[in-house]
Amino acid sequence: MDTLAEWGTDLGRYAIFMTPAKQALIEYSEDGVDLTLIRWMLSLTPAERLDFLQRHINRILTIRELNVRA
Amino acid sequence: MFERDFGALLFALHDAEVEFLVVGGLAAVLNGAPVNTYDVDVVHKRTEENINRVIPVLDGLDAIYRIQPDRRLRPSRSALLSPGHQNLITRHGPLDLLGTIGEGLGYEDLVPHSTEMLIAEGIGVRVLNLELLIEIKEKLGGEKDRAMLPLLRRTLDEKSRKGTTSS
């Protein structure tokens, strides 16, 4: 296996036989979704998720605008 | 550039006691899905009383239709009472007021599939649950919606695993 996604796919296949602690170590789902990012988002409150999204989007828009001007 | 302030849009609707619920990408984010979205989609209750509360909020937000912004067209009362979509730009960024979503689902249909979430101290807003959000995107979604589906499904799995489907 060369990539983390492939590791994730392989681990996901056997997840049913794993303890919760081992399941928590799976980093990618079978369809290649980064589960660590989801778990991090779920660790936040809805208010924190809103705040993160807002700051993230405004940074992207600022970068876009700077590159249009350049 | 319009600085996005999703919170300010939701606070304005909340403070005016508008009956609405958050749907779309922002609902996905509030439910914990790591996706990006550039606008606020809400489904509002289409009653005269609620539209009486919506209109002053839109005026205060300087809301006009995104299409042909030079004409500065404001949504009419009849448009807000209709099941159609009002795609607006406000001083805090894009705001879509949707009469219905999916296969004609209005506010009353969606409320049982929503959860109230706190987005600031003392400010709770109703947010569409991931289950129905996924179902709607599966049935009617375009390419962009379908691309988001694996993330939404895995978020729902993780929430179920944690036993936190409500927040």
Side-chain angles (χ1 to χ4, degrees):
Chain A
M1 281 171 284
D2 297 324
T3 66
L4 277 174
E6 285 174 286
W7 272 101
T9 302
D10 195 51
L11 287 167
R13 197 170 296 144
Y14 301 106
I16 194 167
F17 302 114
M18 293 179 184
T19 62
K22 281 183 181 168
Q23 281 182 350
L25 295 174
I26 298 172
E27 291 176 330
Y28 285 85
S29 66
E30 284 191 30
D31 44 9
V33 173
D34 184 347
L35 299 178
T36 62
L37 203 51
I38 291 174
R39 287 171 191 149
W40 175 74
M41 276 290 275
L42 291 176
S43 74
L44 305 178
T45 65
E48 288 167 338
R49 292 169 198 158
L50 176 65
D51 184 54
F52 173 75
L53 172 73
Q54 228 163 243
R55 284 186 287 120
H56 182 64
I57 292 299
N58 282 321
R59 278 194 205 112
I60 291 173
L61 292 171
T62 303
I63 291 166
R64 273 191 196 169
E65 199 176 354
L66 288 170
N67 282 281
V68 168
R69 281 193 206 148
Chain B
M1 184 193 78
F2 284 97
E3 174 101 351
R4 262 59 165 178
D5 192 340
F6 301 138
L9 292 173
L10 298 176
F11 297 161
L13 292 166
H14 175 273
D15 290 350
E17 298 180 5
V18 171
E19 290 180 89
F20 72 99
L21 50 87
V22 181
V23 299
L26 186 55
V29 172
L30 290 171
N31 273 293
V35 299
N36 286 335
T37 186
Y38 292 84
D39 60 12
V40 172
D41 296 325
V42 303
V43 172
H44 58 286
K45 190 175 181 181
R46 289 180 294 128
T47 59
E48 290 284 353
E49 300 75 36
N50 202 43
I51 300 306
N52 287 341
R53 293 189 281 263
V54 170
I55 290 173
V57 173
L58 297 182
D59 288 343
L61 293 169
D62 204 14
I64 54 172
Y65 282 101
R66 286 207 291 281
I67 191 164
Q68 299 180 305
D70 299 343
R71 295 182 65 194
R72 300 196 55 80
L73 295 173
R74 293 174 181 272
S76 65
R77 173 178 294 273
S78 62
L80 292 166
L81 282 166
S82 79
H85 293 182
Q86 317 307 318
N87 304 122
L88 310 172
I89 184 75
T90 75
R91 68 173 63 175
H92 297 305
L95 169 67
D96 293 347
L97 281 175
L98 315 172
T100 57
I101 57 169
E103 293 173 326
L105 299 172
Y107 177 84
E108 288 84 353
D109 304 308
L110 299 171
V111 165
H113 303 277
S114 68
T115 305
E116 185 161 299
M117 294 186 187
L118 281 177
I119 57 161
E121 188 74 37
I123 298 181
V125 295
R126 297 212 73 84
V127 180
L128 189 65
N129 292 345
L130 269 181
E131 289 87 341
L132 189 58
L133 195 59
I134 290 169
E135 205 179 305
I136 290 169
K137 286 188 183 293
E138 279 172 343
K139 277 186 191 164
L140 298 175
E143 208 164 302
K144 196 181 96 184
D145 292 307
R146 283 198 300 275
M148 199 191 279
L149 276 171
L151 266 170
L152 300 184
R153 292 191 188 112
R154 298 297 79 82
T155 303
L156 183 60
D157 289 348
E158 286 294 313
K159 286 182 90 164
S160 306
R161 211 164 62 80
K162 281 181 67 183
T164 57
T165 49
S166 61
S167 64

